[in-house]
Amino acid sequence: ATVSAQRIVLSNRNHIIIIVRDITEQRVANKKLLVSQANLNATINNTEILIWSVDRQFRLITYNIPFYEYMKKRYGIEIKPGSRILGEMDSSEAHVLKSKWSENYKRALAGEMVILEENRFGIDFQYSLSPIIENNQIIGVSIFVVYFI
C-alpha cells in the first residue's frame, strides 16, 4: 500500500497530529487515466480526420496533429491553443473564411449540430460541428473534418 503522511504541529501546545491516508487506489486510478489519455491522443493524432475545438469566443481549445499540419501547409500558419484560426491573416480569403466559420460556430453554439460539405482546392470536405456541453451549458464547438482527394 502507498500512504501519504502529513504532520501538523499545533503552536503553543504539546500535541502532534499525524494524518495517514492510503492513496493506493488514487495512484492506480491516476495511472489508468494517464494510459487512457495517451491512448486517446494516439488515436486522435493517427488519423486523417482533421479535429479541432473552439471556445465561445472562437479561440482554439485543442486540435490534433493532422489539423495543425494542414493549417501550416495550406495557410502557412502555426496554430496554438488560445489563438483564433486565421486570426493574424488579413487577406480577402481569410475574411471570407472567418465570416463563414463564425456563422457555423454560432449555429453550433446555439445547440445545433451542423453538417456541411464543400469542395475546396479540388478536395471534397465533409464538416461536422457539435456543441461541447459541460454542466448543461454550451462552452464551445468541436469540429471533425473528413476529406476526399
Side-chain angles (χ1 to χ4, degrees), residues 70 75 93 97 100 118-125 127:
Y70 175 83
Y75 298 101
E93 177 189 16
L97 287 172
K100 177 181 94 172
E118 73 174 348
N119 184 292
R120 291 179 52 82
F121 320 111
I123 302 170
D124 291 322
F125 290 90
Y127 306 95

Side-chain angles (χ1 to χ4, degrees), residues 43-55:
T43 300
I44 289 171
N45 288 312
N46 289 305
T47 180
E48 294 297 316
I49 297 172
L50 306 179
I51 303 170
W52 73 95
S53 59
V54 296
D55 64 17

Side-chain angles (χ1 to χ4, degrees), residues 123-148:
I123 302 170
D124 291 322
F125 290 90
Q126 294 177 342
Y127 306 95
S128 173
L129 291 79
S130 302
I132 300 171
I133 301 171
E134 187 176 285
N135 296 324
N136 294 321
Q137 291 187 336
I138 299 172
I139 62 163
V141 180
S142 62
I143 302 91
F144 294 82
V145 181
V146 178
Y147 59 93
F148 307 95

Side-chain angles (χ1 to χ4, degrees), residues 4-70:
S4 170
Q6 180 179 12
R7 180 177 175 214
I8 302 172
V9 178
L10 302 174
S11 62
N12 298 329
R13 297 197 180 172
N14 292 326
H15 302 289
I16 296 176
I17 298 173
I18 297 176
I19 301 169
V20 178
R21 294 185 187 109
D22 183 350
I23 58 170
T24 304
E25 286 183 31
Q26 181 182 356
R27 292 188 95 196
V28 169
N30 286 344
K31 194 176 265 188
K32 285 182 181 179
L33 179 60
L34 288 174
V35 169
S36 177
Q37 288 173 333
N39 287 336
L40 180 60
N41 280 335
T43 300
I44 289 171
N45 288 312
N46 289 305
T47 180
E48 294 297 316
I49 297 172
L50 306 179
I51 303 170
W52 73 95
S53 59
V54 296
D55 64 17
R56 295 192 66 82
Q57 288 74 41
F58 313 149
R59 294 179 303 232
L60 278 168
I61 299 171
T62 191
Y63 48 85
N64 68 349
I65 292 171
F67 181 65
Y68 174 86
E69 290 173 351
Y70 175 83

